[in-house]
Amino acid sequence: MPETTPELIAAVGDRLTPTDRRIAEAVLSEPTLLAFGTVSDLADHVGTSRPSIMRFANKLGFGGYSDLQSHVRRGLSQRLSRPSDRIRDHGGVGSNVQVALEGAIGGVVEAAGGERLGVLAEPLVSAQDIWIVSGETSQAGAHALASGLTMVRPGVHFVEEHSMGRDLGSAGSEDAAVVFDFFRYRRHSVRTARTLARLGVSIVAITDGPLSPLASLTDRWCALTVPAIGPFDSSVPAVAMAELLVAEVARQLHDEATERIDRTEDLWAATGTYLV
Amino acid sequence: MPETTPELIAAVGDRLTPTDRRIAEAVLSEPTLLAFGTVSDLADHVGTSRPSIMRFANKLGFGGYSDLQSHVRRGLSQRLSRPSDRIRDHGGVGSNVQVALEGAIGGVVEAAGGERLGVLAEPLVSAQDIWIVSGETSQAGAHALASGLTMVRPGVHFVEEHSMGRDLGSAGSEDAAVVFDFFRYRRHSVRTARTLARLGVSIVAITDGPLSPLASLTDRWCALTVPAIGPFDSSVPAVAMAELLVAEVARQLHDEATERIDRTEDLWAATGTYLV
DNA sequence: AACTACCTGTAACTAGATGTACACCGGAAC
DNA sequence: GTTCCGGTGTACATCTAGTTACAGGTAGTT
C-alpha cells in the first residue's frame, strides 16, 4: 500500500486522464494544496471543475476528497512533529535519565537555533547593567549566567530575594534583565520581572513555554523542557542555556571580553587562586 | 508582530481564562490540531464548546477561527517548503555544542553507573552535617547540590570562601563533604578539602580524573568530562551529577525525605511562594 | 447579602463545503 | 451516418463548518 502522495499518484500514473494529470502536477508541486485546500481551491488552481477533483481522489483509491485529504494530513503530521517529540516517542519516557537529559539538551539547542540565540543575547551585549532573577529549579542556571557574564562584561547583578528593593533602585531603560523560572513559577521572580519590565528594562525570559507568565512580558523568551531527576526538576537545561548565552555575548563582545578575561586571569595569577 | 503559534500565545498569555489555557496547551502539544482541525475537533479534544475556541482565536488577535488557521497554515507551508533551512538550523548553531553536551551527559551517567552512585551518595545519607565546597566552573553544580540536598535532609552547608574558617568550625568525623573542582583546581577548594579530610570528614569528590588532587583524598570520587561552550568550561556535567546524587539520597532516605519535602511544601503554600 | 462582571455553554443561523445525478461533447467503431 | 463511450462541466441536495446571540452560573466585591 503506497503511503506518500507521489507514491499514490505513481501507482495509478498510467490511468490518468489529461485533467487528472494537471491535478497531479499541481498537488505534487504544491504539497500544501492537498493538505489545506478545499475541492474548490484545487479546482480553481488547476483550472477545472470540482467533480474532476472528486474523480481524481476516487482514482487514487479513496472514497472521496475528504479521505484523500485525511491521508495526506496524517503523513504531514509525522513530518511536522518536532524532533524532540520524536525522541520522546521512541525512547522510554522518564525511566532513563540519560534519554531525558539528552532530550533536554536537544531542546535547548533547538530553542537557541537559527537566529534565536542572537536575539536573546542582544540586550545582554548592549545593556548598561544586567539584572539576573531566578526561581527555584533554575537557580543553578542563574548562577551560571551571573558568573559567566561577569567574566566577559561589567555591570552584572544577581538579584537576591531579600534585597530586591535596594538592588533594583538604579535599574532603568538602559538595562537588561534575564529572568529564569519554570512551572510553579515563584511569585517573587514573576513580580520582580513585571516590575523591571515596567521600569523599561529589556527582559529576556528563560522559561518553560508560551503560557508562562514571563513569556507575556517580552518577545525575547525561550522555552526549555525540564526533565525530572528523581523527585526534583533538573536545572541542566537552564544551565546549558545560560552557558550558550554567555558564549554568544562573549562572541559579540569579542575584544572587550577577551581584555576583561585577561585582566581576570592576571588577577587570579597574582593572587595564586589556582594551583596551575 | 509575533509569527509562530507559541509566540502568539505568549503575547497574550496573561489574559487567558482557564478554558483558554486548556486550549492553548492542546494546540501547543499538538501543532497539527490548529492547522488541520476544525473548531469542533478542537472543542472536542479540549473538552469545551465551539464558542470558546472562537473567543480564543479572537483573543489572539484574529477575526475568527478561519483567520487563525490560515495564519498557522502559512507558517507551516514555509517550514514544509524549505526543509534545507531546518537542517541548516540544526547544524549551524549547535551541532557541536549538542554533541559535546550529550557526550558529557553520557559520561556523567557512566560515572554514576552500576553501584557507583550508591557509593558516592552513601556518606550523604548517613552524615550528620554536609559541607559543600566548589571551584569555579563547578559552582553551579555545588549550588544545585546544596539546594537539592537541603530539600531532603538537614545540616547542609555551602562553604563560602570568605567565611570558611567560621563555617568549618564544627566539622568532624560524623560529617561528609562534597567537593567539586576541575582542572586548574582552585587552591581554596583543594586546601579546604584537605583540611576537611584531616578532620576526619568523609570526602566525596566530583572532579575530572584520577590525577586530580581531590581524587587522592578519598576513594569516593568520580571523573566527569567537561566540554567547552564558547570560551568557558561547561558546568552541565557537574550539575547533572549533583542532581543524580540528590535523587539517590532522596531515594535512600525515602520516608524522611518525603516528610521533609512535605513540610517544605506546606511552608511554601503558607507563604504563597509559588503562583500555583 | 446583593450585586456586578465575567466566563462558559446551548441553541440558532448562515455560508460554504462535499458529494451526486445528469447533460454535453468529442472521437472511434460499426 | 449513426451509435457508443470515456471525459468533462453544470446544477442540485445535503451536511457540516464557522459564527453569533443569549442565558445560566460563579467568583469576587461592595
Short mmCIF file of all heavy atoms in Angstrom, two decimals, chain C residues 9-22:
data_model
loop_
_atom_site.label_atom_id
_atom_site.label_comp_id
_atom_site.label_asym_id
_atom_site.label_seq_id
_atom_site.Cartn_x
_atom_site.Cartn_y
_atom_site.Cartn_z
P DG C 9 -17.41 25.32 28.71
OP1 DG C 9 -16.95 24.03 29.26
OP2 DG C 9 -16.69 25.94 27.57
"O5'" DG C 9 -18.95 25.16 28.31
"C5'" DG C 9 -19.87 24.76 29.32
"C4'" DG C 9 -21.30 24.99 28.86
"O4'" DG C 9 -21.47 26.40 28.55
"C3'" DG C 9 -21.70 24.23 27.59
"O3'" DG C 9 -23.00 23.70 27.77
"C2'" DG C 9 -21.68 25.30 26.50
"C1'" DG C 9 -22.11 26.53 27.28
N9 DG C 9 -21.69 27.79 26.69
C8 DG C 9 -20.41 28.17 26.36
N7 DG C 9 -20.33 29.37 25.85
C5 DG C 9 -21.65 29.82 25.86
C6 DG C 9 -22.19 31.05 25.42
O6 DG C 9 -21.59 32.01 24.94
N1 DG C 9 -23.58 31.09 25.60
C2 DG C 9 -24.33 30.07 26.13
N2 DG C 9 -25.63 30.28 26.22
N3 DG C 9 -23.83 28.92 26.53
C4 DG C 9 -22.49 28.86 26.37
P DT C 10 -23.57 22.60 26.76
OP1 DT C 10 -23.91 21.43 27.57
OP2 DT C 10 -22.64 22.49 25.63
"O5'" DT C 10 -24.93 23.23 26.20
"C5'" DT C 10 -25.86 23.82 27.10
"C4'" DT C 10 -26.95 24.55 26.32
"O4'" DT C 10 -26.44 25.82 25.86
"C3'" DT C 10 -27.45 23.81 25.07
"O3'" DT C 10 -28.87 23.84 25.05
"C2'" DT C 10 -26.83 24.59 23.91
"C1'" DT C 10 -26.73 25.99 24.49
N1 DT C 10 -25.64 26.82 23.92
C2 DT C 10 -25.91 28.07 23.43
O2 DT C 10 -27.02 28.55 23.43
N3 DT C 10 -24.82 28.75 22.94
C4 DT C 10 -23.52 28.31 22.89
O4 DT C 10 -22.63 29.00 22.42
C5 DT C 10 -23.30 26.98 23.42
C7 DT C 10 -21.92 26.39 23.40
C6 DT C 10 -24.34 26.31 23.90
P DA C 11 -29.67 23.06 23.93
OP1 DA C 11 -30.95 22.60 24.51
OP2 DA C 11 -28.76 22.09 23.28
"O5'" DA C 11 -29.97 24.22 22.89
"C5'" DA C 11 -30.50 25.47 23.36
"C4'" DA C 11 -30.63 26.44 22.20
"O4'" DA C 11 -29.35 27.06 21.93
"C3'" DA C 11 -31.07 25.80 20.88
"O3'" DA C 11 -32.01 26.66 20.24
"C2'" DA C 11 -29.78 25.69 20.09
"C1'" DA C 11 -29.08 26.96 20.54
N9 DA C 11 -27.63 26.95 20.36
C8 DA C 11 -26.77 25.92 20.59
N7 DA C 11 -25.52 26.21 20.35
C5 DA C 11 -25.57 27.53 19.92
C6 DA C 11 -24.57 28.42 19.51
N6 DA C 11 -23.26 28.11 19.47
N1 DA C 11 -24.94 29.68 19.16
C2 DA C 11 -26.24 29.99 19.21
N3 DA C 11 -27.27 29.24 19.58
C4 DA C 11 -26.86 28.00 19.93
P DA C 12 -32.92 26.11 19.07
OP1 DA C 12 -34.33 26.20 19.54
OP2 DA C 12 -32.37 24.83 18.58
"O5'" DA C 12 -32.70 27.22 17.96
"C5'" DA C 12 -32.74 28.60 18.32
"C4'" DA C 12 -31.96 29.42 17.31
"O4'" DA C 12 -30.55 29.16 17.48
"C3'" DA C 12 -32.28 29.10 15.85
"O3'" DA C 12 -32.47 30.30 15.13
"C2'" DA C 12 -31.06 28.34 15.37
"C1'" DA C 12 -29.97 29.01 16.20
N9 DA C 12 -28.75 28.23 16.33
C8 DA C 12 -28.64 26.91 16.68
N7 DA C 12 -27.41 26.47 16.72
C5 DA C 12 -26.65 27.59 16.36
C6 DA C 12 -25.27 27.78 16.21
N6 DA C 12 -24.37 26.82 16.41
N1 DA C 12 -24.85 29.01 15.85
C2 DA C 12 -25.76 29.97 15.65
N3 DA C 12 -27.09 29.90 15.77
C4 DA C 12 -27.46 28.68 16.12
P DC C 13 -33.13 30.27 13.68
OP1 DC C 13 -34.24 31.22 13.68
OP2 DC C 13 -33.33 28.87 13.26
"O5'" DC C 13 -31.94 30.89 12.80
"C5'" DC C 13 -31.31 32.11 13.24
"C4'" DC C 13 -30.06 32.34 12.41
"O4'" DC C 13 -29.01 31.45 12.86
"C3'" DC C 13 -30.24 32.09 10.92
"O3'" DC C 13 -29.77 33.22 10.19
"C2'" DC C 13 -29.42 30.84 10.65
"C1'" DC C 13 -28.35 30.92 11.73
N1 DC C 13 -27.76 29.61 12.13
C2 DC C 13 -26.36 29.46 12.15
O2 DC C 13 -25.66 30.42 11.84
N3 DC C 13 -25.83 28.27 12.52
C4 DC C 13 -26.64 27.25 12.85
N4 DC C 13 -26.06 26.11 13.21
C5 DC C 13 -28.06 27.37 12.83
C6 DC C 13 -28.57 28.57 12.47
P DT C 14 -30.28 33.39 8.69
OP1 DT C 14 -30.86 34.74 8.54
OP2 DT C 14 -31.03 32.20 8.26
"O5'" DT C 14 -28.88 33.40 7.94
"C5'" DT C 14 -27.76 34.04 8.55
"C4'" DT C 14 -26.48 33.52 7.93
"O4'" DT C 14 -26.10 32.26 8.52
"C3'" DT C 14 -26.57 33.27 6.42
"O3'" DT C 14 -25.44 33.85 5.80
"C2'" DT C 14 -26.57 31.76 6.30
"C1'" DT C 14 -25.74 31.36 7.50
N1 DT C 14 -25.97 29.98 8.01
C2 DT C 14 -24.89 29.20 8.35
O2 DT C 14 -23.75 29.58 8.26
N3 DT C 14 -25.22 27.95 8.81
C4 DT C 14 -26.48 27.41 8.96
O4 DT C 14 -26.65 26.27 9.38
C5 DT C 14 -27.56 28.28 8.59
C7 DT C 14 -28.97 27.79 8.70
C6 DT C 14 -27.27 29.51 8.13
P DA C 15 -25.44 34.14 4.26
OP1 DA C 15 -25.48 35.59 4.03
OP2 DA C 15 -26.43 33.26 3.62
"O5'" DA C 15 -23.98 33.61 3.90
"C5'" DA C 15 -22.98 33.61 4.92
"C4'" DA C 15 -22.02 32.45 4.69
"O4'" DA C 15 -22.57 31.24 5.27
"C3'" DA C 15 -21.76 32.14 3.23
"O3'" DA C 15 -20.37 31.96 3.06
"C2'" DA C 15 -22.54 30.87 2.97
"C1'" DA C 15 -22.46 30.20 4.33
N9 DA C 15 -23.53 29.24 4.60
C8 DA C 15 -24.86 29.39 4.36
N7 DA C 15 -25.59 28.36 4.71
C5 DA C 15 -24.67 27.46 5.21
C6 DA C 15 -24.81 26.16 5.74
N6 DA C 15 -25.98 25.54 5.86
N1 DA C 15 -23.69 25.54 6.16
C2 DA C 15 -22.52 26.18 6.04
N3 DA C 15 -22.27 27.39 5.57
C4 DA C 15 -23.39 27.99 5.16
P DG C 16 -19.72 32.13 1.63
OP1 DG C 16 -18.80 33.26 1.66
OP2 DG C 16 -20.81 32.06 0.61
"O5'" DG C 16 -18.87 30.79 1.54
"C5'" DG C 16 -18.27 30.27 2.72
"C4'" DG C 16 -18.24 28.76 2.66
"O4'" DG C 16 -19.56 28.23 2.95
"C3'" DG C 16 -17.86 28.20 1.28
"O3'" DG C 16 -16.90 27.20 1.45
"C2'" DG C 16 -19.17 27.64 0.76
"C1'" DG C 16 -19.80 27.17 2.05
N9 DG C 16 -21.23 26.91 1.97
C8 DG C 16 -22.19 27.68 1.36
N7 DG C 16 -23.39 27.17 1.45
C5 DG C 16 -23.21 25.98 2.16
C6 DG C 16 -24.15 25.00 2.57
O6 DG C 16 -25.35 24.97 2.38
N1 DG C 16 -23.53 23.96 3.27
C2 DG C 16 -22.20 23.89 3.54
N2 DG C 16 -21.78 22.83 4.22
N3 DG C 16 -21.30 24.80 3.17
C4 DG C 16 -21.89 25.82 2.49
P DA C 17 -15.95 26.80 0.25
OP1 DA C 17 -14.67 27.47 0.44
OP2 DA C 17 -16.73 26.98 -1.00
"O5'" DA C 17 -15.76 25.23 0.46
"C5'" DA C 17 -15.38 24.75 1.73
"C4'" DA C 17 -16.07 23.44 2.05
"O4'" DA C 17 -17.48 23.70 2.27
"C3'" DA C 17 -16.05 22.43 0.90
"O3'" DA C 17 -14.90 21.62 1.01
"C2'" DA C 17 -17.30 21.61 1.15
"C1'" DA C 17 -18.21 22.54 1.92
N9 DA C 17 -19.38 23.00 1.15
C8 DA C 17 -19.46 24.10 0.36
N7 DA C 17 -20.64 24.26 -0.20
C5 DA C 17 -21.37 23.18 0.23
C6 DA C 17 -22.70 22.78 0.00
N6 DA C 17 -23.54 23.45 -0.78
N1 DA C 17 -23.12 21.65 0.60
C2 DA C 17 -22.27 20.98 1.39
N3 DA C 17 -21.00 21.27 1.69
C4 DA C 17 -20.61 22.39 1.08
P DT C 18 -14.52 20.73 -0.25
OP1 DT C 18 -13.13 20.34 -0.08
OP2 DT C 18 -14.96 21.45 -1.46
"O5'" DT C 18 -15.46 19.45 -0.10
"C5'" DT C 18 -15.46 18.69 1.09
"C4'" DT C 18 -16.61 17.69 1.08
"O4'" DT C 18 -17.86 18.39 0.81
"C3'" DT C 18 -16.49 16.62 0.01
"O3'" DT C 18 -16.76 15.35 0.58
"C2'" DT C 18 -17.53 17.01 -1.04
"C1'" DT C 18 -18.59 17.73 -0.19
N1 DT C 18 -19.37 18.75 -0.95
C2 DT C 18 -20.73 18.60 -1.07
O2 DT C 18 -21.35 17.67 -0.60
N3 DT C 18 -21.36 19.62 -1.77
C4 DT C 18 -20.76 20.72 -2.34
O4 DT C 18 -21.42 21.55 -2.95
C5 DT C 18 -19.33 20.81 -2.18
C7 DT C 18 -18.57 21.97 -2.75
C6 DT C 18 -18.71 19.84 -1.50
P DG C 19 -16.29 14.03 -0.19
OP1 DG C 19 -16.03 12.99 0.83
OP2 DG C 19 -15.25 14.39 -1.17
"O5'" DG C 19 -17.61 13.62 -0.97
"C5'" DG C 19 -18.79 13.37 -0.22
"C4'" DG C 19 -20.01 13.34 -1.13
"O4'" DG C 19 -20.27 14.68 -1.63
"C3'" DG C 19 -19.89 12.44 -2.36
"O3'" DG C 19 -21.05 11.62 -2.42
"C2'" DG C 19 -19.85 13.41 -3.53
"C1'" DG C 19 -20.70 14.55 -2.98
N9 DG C 19 -20.53 15.84 -3.62
C8 DG C 19 -19.35 16.52 -3.83
N7 DG C 19 -19.52 17.67 -4.43
C5 DG C 19 -20.90 17.75 -4.65
C6 DG C 19 -21.68 18.75 -5.26
O6 DG C 19 -21.30 19.81 -5.75
N1 DG C 19 -23.04 18.43 -5.27
C2 DG C 19 -23.57 17.26 -4.75
N2 DG C 19 -24.88 17.12 -4.84
N3 DG C 19 -22.84 16.31 -4.17
C4 DG C 19 -21.53 16.62 -4.16
P DT C 20 -21.09 10.38 -3.41
OP1 DT C 20 -21.47 9.18 -2.64
OP2 DT C 20 -19.86 10.38 -4.22
"O5'" DT C 20 -22.32 10.76 -4.36
"C5'" DT C 20 -23.52 11.24 -3.76
"C4'" DT C 20 -24.50 11.67 -4.85
"O4'" DT C 20 -24.16 13.00 -5.32
"C3'" DT C 20 -24.52 10.80 -6.10
"O3'" DT C 20 -25.87 10.63 -6.51
"C2'" DT C 20 -23.72 11.59 -7.12
"C1'" DT C 20 -24.11 13.01 -6.73
N1 DT C 20 -23.15 14.05 -7.15
C2 DT C 20 -23.63 15.21 -7.72
O2 DT C 20 -24.80 15.41 -7.92
N3 DT C 20 -22.65 16.11 -8.06
C4 DT C 20 -21.29 15.97 -7.90
O4 DT C 20 -20.51 16.85 -8.26
C5 DT C 20 -20.85 14.74 -7.29
C7 DT C 20 -19.40 14.48 -7.07
C6 DT C 20 -21.81 13.85 -6.94
P DA C 21 -26.26 9.38 -7.41
OP1 DA C 21 -26.93 8.39 -6.55
OP2 DA C 21 -25.09 8.98 -8.21
"O5'" DA C 21 -27.34 10.00 -8.40
"C5'" DA C 21 -28.15 11.08 -7.95
"C4'" DA C 21 -28.49 12.00 -9.11
"O4'" DA C 21 -27.40 12.94 -9.31
"C3'" DA C 21 -28.71 11.28 -10.45
"O3'" DA C 21 -29.87 11.80 -11.07
"C2'" DA C 21 -27.45 11.62 -11.24
"C1'" DA C 21 -27.10 12.99 -10.70
N9 DA C 21 -25.69 13.36 -10.81
C8 DA C 21 -24.60 12.61 -10.46
N7 DA C 21 -23.45 13.20 -10.67
C5 DA C 21 -23.81 14.43 -11.20
C6 DA C 21 -23.04 15.53 -11.64
N6 DA C 21 -21.71 15.55 -11.60
N1 DA C 21 -23.72 16.61 -12.10
C2 DA C 21 -25.05 16.57 -12.15
N3 DA C 21 -25.88 15.60 -11.76
C4 DA C 21 -25.18 14.55 -11.29
P DC C 22 -30.40 11.11 -12.41
OP1 DC C 22 -31.86 11.06 -12.31
OP2 DC C 22 -29.63 9.87 -12.65
"O5'" DC C 22 -29.98 12.18 -13.50
"C5'" DC C 22 -30.20 13.57 -13.24
"C4'" DC C 22 -29.48 14.42 -14.27
"O4'" DC C 22 -28.08 14.50 -13.95
"C3'" DC C 22 -29.57 13.88 -15.71
"O3'" DC C 22 -29.97 14.92 -16.57
"C2'" DC C 22 -28.14 13.44 -16.00
"C1'" DC C 22 -27.36 14.46 -15.18
N1 DC C 22 -25.96 14.06 -14.88
C2 DC C 22 -24.93 14.98 -15.10
O2 DC C 22 -25.20 16.11 -15.54
N3 DC C 22 -23.64 14.62 -14.84
C4 DC C 22 -23.39 13.39 -14.38
N4 DC C 22 -22.13 13.08 -14.12
C5 DC C 22 -24.43 12.43 -14.14
C6 DC C 22 -25.69 12.81 -14.40
#
